[in-house]
Amino acid sequence: MTGRKAAPETTVPAAPLPPGTRRPGGRTARTRAAVRDAVLAGLVEHGYPGLSVEYVAEHSGIHKTTLYRRWGNLEGLVVDALDLAGEDSWTPPDTGTLAGDLRALAHTTADAFADPATAAAPTAFIAAAFQAPRAAEALSAFYTERFARCEAIVARAVARDEIDRYTDAGALVRAVTSPLFFRLFITREPIDGTVADQAADAALAAARAGVFRTPPTPAGPA
């Protein structure tokens, strides 16, 4: 991300594009990426209260009129930046064991916030979610989708007979990452590999004890 201006955009779509609109490649993708980078830079530099459409226009090289036409307002810009972040090809770890997968997942979370430069963007997004309702909805959708991808970890463990097949996959994955986010954003304590392993091991022990077991829904009358 840099403050260098891209060439100004001289064309606009025939109709406004709603936040999150996805089109393959080309100029639209480059424009969206430039706007995303500018939003991230602004959030990191000024936080949500200090971010403005004018800042995004200046740092993306996209005219302010185009930004309003396509994204509506500042919240729309932040929402679409989060939507774009969720369009990656990330897949959960596959180490061959449930314990290994959960530890690897915990380390992925810890590593993402270990380097201040790397942590700046996700931290800024989380902060923005406390100040903008639509950003909060987008952040919730982002993590809901991320956790849904992680359900494959539990599905593989069930297939290997490592865990009860009625284990709530979403609850288990959240139990791994929740202590890490608590330390990062509530108590402001550092996290490292040891803390990540503890979170994963505690969640695994709880799962094996049946804490996350969801009884099957009784069949209704025939």
Side-chain angles (χ1 to χ4, degrees):
M1 295 182 290
T2 69
R4 181 185 302 173
K5 296 183 181 179
E9 182 173 287
T10 57
T11 60
V12 296
L17 295 175
T21 295
R22 301 179 184 184
R23 289 185 180 178
R27 186 182 185 89
T28 297
R30 292 193 298 272
T31 296
R32 194 176 173 209
V35 169
R36 182 270 318 276
D37 289 347
V39 168
L40 285 175
L43 286 174
V44 171
E45 185 176 353
H46 300 294
Y48 185 77
L51 183 63
S52 66
V53 175
E54 288 76 13
Y55 178 99
V56 176
E58 178 183 355
H59 288 75
S60 67
I62 309 302
H63 196 277
K64 183 170 66 174
T65 301
T66 302
L67 296 179
Y68 279 116
R69 179 187 293 271
R70 293 180 60 176
W71 283 275
N73 55 25
L74 185 60
E75 272 195 272
L77 291 165
V78 174
V79 167
D80 193 52
L82 268 168
D83 284 349
L84 189 57
E87 293 178 15
D88 63 6
S89 58
W90 180 84
T91 56
D94 184 2
T95 66
T97 68
L98 178 58
D101 288 351
L102 295 181
R103 282 194 167 201
L105 179 63
H107 279 264
T108 296
T109 302
D111 292 346
F113 292 93
D115 182 353
T118 304
T123 300
F125 271 133
I126 292 170
F130 281 94
Q131 302 169 72
R134 288 180 59 201
E137 293 173 3
L139 185 69
S140 176
F142 173 84
Y143 276 108
T144 296
E145 196 274 338
R146 270 294 191 271
F147 288 136
R149 295 190 202 185
C150 291
E151 291 178 4
I153 291 174
V154 178
R156 292 193 298 260
V158 169
R160 293 190 296 258
D161 293 323
E162 290 184 277
I163 200 168
D164 190 293
R165 67 190 181 97
Y166 293 114
T167 299
D168 185 326
L172 173 54
V173 171
R174 283 170 171 79
V176 173
T177 55
S178 293
L180 304 179
F181 282 113
F182 183 86
R183 291 175 68 105
L184 284 165
F185 297 106
I186 304 301
T187 61
R188 308 294 291 177
E189 298 174 84
I191 59 175
D192 56 20
T194 299
V195 172
D197 287 342
Q198 289 173 346
D201 293 349
L204 178 58
R208 286 174 171 166
V211 172
F212 306 123
R213 190 178 190 278
T214 302
T217 304

